[in-house]
Amino acid sequence: MANQTRPDYARAAGWDRDWEVFSDYELPTYVGPTTFSNLPWVTDPAEIARRGVDVAIVGAPFDDATSHRPGARFGPRAIREAQSASGALNSLQLGVEPLGVLTVVDAGDANVVPSWMERGHALIHRKVREVAATGAIPIVLGGDHSITWPSASAVAEVRHPGTIGIVHFDAHADTAPDIFGVLGSHGTPMRRLVESGAVAGRNFVQVGLRGYWPPPDVFDWMRGQGMRWHLMREIEERGAEAVIDDAIAEALDGPDSVYLSIDIDVIDPGMAPGTGTPEPGGMLTREVLRAIRRIVGAVDLAGMDVVEVSPPYDHAEVTAGAANRCVLEAISALAVKRAAGGRVRHEPA
Ligand code: MN
Ligand code: MN
């Protein structure tokens, strides 16, 4: 019919107004693609270098090396999602808008496929190395703790001839010679890093060890390497603040820069149940977050990982939330450094 006009239901309903449209970054984090804090997904190292990125998030969705509960392969995505605020964010603890001060991107995931441990470690190493070589600080989302072997090795290579130390939060020392004969297990990465020379034993500081593993001969080996550690028992007796004071002094005593490795099981399983090897009697979430702010504020951070978040065991997403904040606290502490005129990026030689 010639006189029949096309219906305008939008106008009839009042939908034809000039609505404000938000950017991908400003939108709620549950809208659109899943990147860390809605940050740009930039996987090309040349583009990461061109943007002068300060911090690059890297996913290591790998759990083929777990000894008990699996599921950490789903960790990177869960950690990326565990944030209800969007945009520049405002750290109330540090008084800084970290994502406004620093250039941060999500560099995507290592090219991992299931059931192939050697290839997974190789491609995690490759990914972290190409990101770190741009001068950006890689913050790696695990994955089981075995990923620290390739990840910290890559950072050590990029920082060479400078040396890196490791500050390692964990219920477990992860220094076994092998687990059931497997060298690349998540119970062995710190042993591999010392043996390869990537990190000198005397530049290793561990915090939060407790429970019933590893056996005494492993501690004998650690002692022989000059490793330093702070048992949970010491935190109970002296308090986290005093123990972290000592850990910072030890971290500064030797290496040129520090790689921070956070096994989320350092937090008490009552506050972080979603992990592969839960060990009762751990640190409070707030103690760990404060420790990260203090350590990153004090040392030259070369790289970081947050590992062992297993979403299938994580009711109410509390563990992923804690891990997300571990990352944000580090970024915020770096932003404070930058705002004060300090150096954050590494300028490769
Ligand atoms: Mn561990
Ligand atoms: Mn552990």
Side-chain angles (χ1 to χ4, degrees):
M1 297 290 178
N3 64 346
Q4 210 170 351
T5 55
R6 183 184 296 276
D8 191 342
Y9 301 122
R11 182 166 191 180
W15 295 332
D16 60 346
R17 278 162 44 196
D18 189 17
W19 301 102
E20 182 179 0
V21 174
F22 299 92
S23 71
D24 288 345
Y25 179 56
E26 295 164 318
L27 280 166
T29 50
Y30 61 87
V31 182
T34 300
T35 74
F36 190 89
S37 265
N38 279 355
L39 289 162
W41 182 267
V42 184
T43 60
D44 176 15
E47 178 62 13
I48 294 171
R50 195 191 64 75
R51 295 187 185 207
V53 167
D54 296 301
V55 176
I57 306 296
V58 174
F62 173 95
D63 66 7
D64 292 324
T66 45
S67 57
H68 195 57
R69 297 165 162 184
R73 68 183 59 184
F74 303 113
R77 189 157 292 180
I79 296 168
R80 286 182 171 112
E81 284 182 335
Q83 170 61 273
S84 54
S86 59
L89 304 180
N90 182 24
S91 166
L92 303 191
Q93 306 285 28
L94 288 174
V96 69
E97 291 182 284
L99 304 180
V101 172
L102 297 177
T103 302
V104 187
V105 302
D106 192 323
D109 291 335
N111 190 285
V112 169
V113 296
S115 310
W116 202 349
M117 186 188 292
E118 194 177 10
R119 183 186 179 282
H121 286 163
L123 285 157
I124 290 164
H125 173 268
R126 182 183 298 179
K127 176 76 178 176
V128 175
R129 189 176 166 152
E130 69 185 20
V131 166
T134 69
I137 296 174
I139 298 187
V140 183
L141 314 178
D144 70 51
H145 217 155
S146 75
I147 67 102
T148 301
W149 178 23
S151 175
S153 295
V155 171
E157 287 171 33
V158 169
R159 292 282 174 148
H160 185 83
T163 55
I164 67 164
I166 292 194
V167 178
H168 167 206
F169 284 76
D170 203 325
H172 313 95
D174 293 355
T175 45
D178 65 87
I179 301 289
F180 299 118
V182 176
L183 298 177
S185 163
H186 75 155
T188 63
M190 308 315 168
R191 183 91 156 216
R192 297 289 90 83
L193 286 165
V194 172
E195 283 177 348
S196 72
V199 185
R202 66 180 180 282
N203 291 335
F204 240 103
V205 184
Q206 299 186 310
V207 179
L209 312 184
R210 62 186 187 273
Y212 296 86
W213 186 87
D217 61 303
V218 172
F219 283 102
D220 291 341
W221 179 85
M222 290 162 59
R223 209 169 280 116
Q225 301 299 319
M227 293 179 72
R228 290 176 273 198
W229 61 89
H230 300 276
L231 300 180
M232 196 61 215
R233 191 178 69 205
E234 188 187 340
I235 296 175
E236 293 160 9
E237 290 167 358
R238 301 177 56 216
E241 196 74 358
V243 171
I244 298 303
D245 283 342
D246 288 358
I248 289 172
E250 289 160 357
L252 292 170
D253 171 30
D256 297 310
S257 60
V258 166
Y259 182 101
L260 181 57
S261 185
I262 309 287
D263 185 327
I264 207 69
D265 75 22
V266 76
I267 299 173
D268 189 86
M271 297 183 180
T275 191
T277 47
E279 186 59 52
M283 293 180 76
L284 304 174
T285 305
R286 71 161 190 254
E287 290 174 335
V288 172
L289 298 181
R290 180 173 171 85
I292 292 169
R293 294 195 298 271
R294 295 188 62 211
I295 291 166
V296 173
V299 306
D300 179 8
L301 188 73
M304 175 174 174
D305 60 50
V306 183
V307 300
E308 297 288 352
V309 173
S310 179
Y313 295 96
D314 191 20
H315 56 74
E317 299 164 12
V318 288
T319 315
N324 178 291
R325 296 308 190 272
C326 287
V327 174
L328 279 178
E329 299 297 85
I331 295 173
S332 298
L334 291 170
V336 168
K337 216 179 265 183
R338 165 64 58 77
R343 190 174 59 75
V344 171
R345 274 175 56 81
H346 176 57
E347 299 304 339

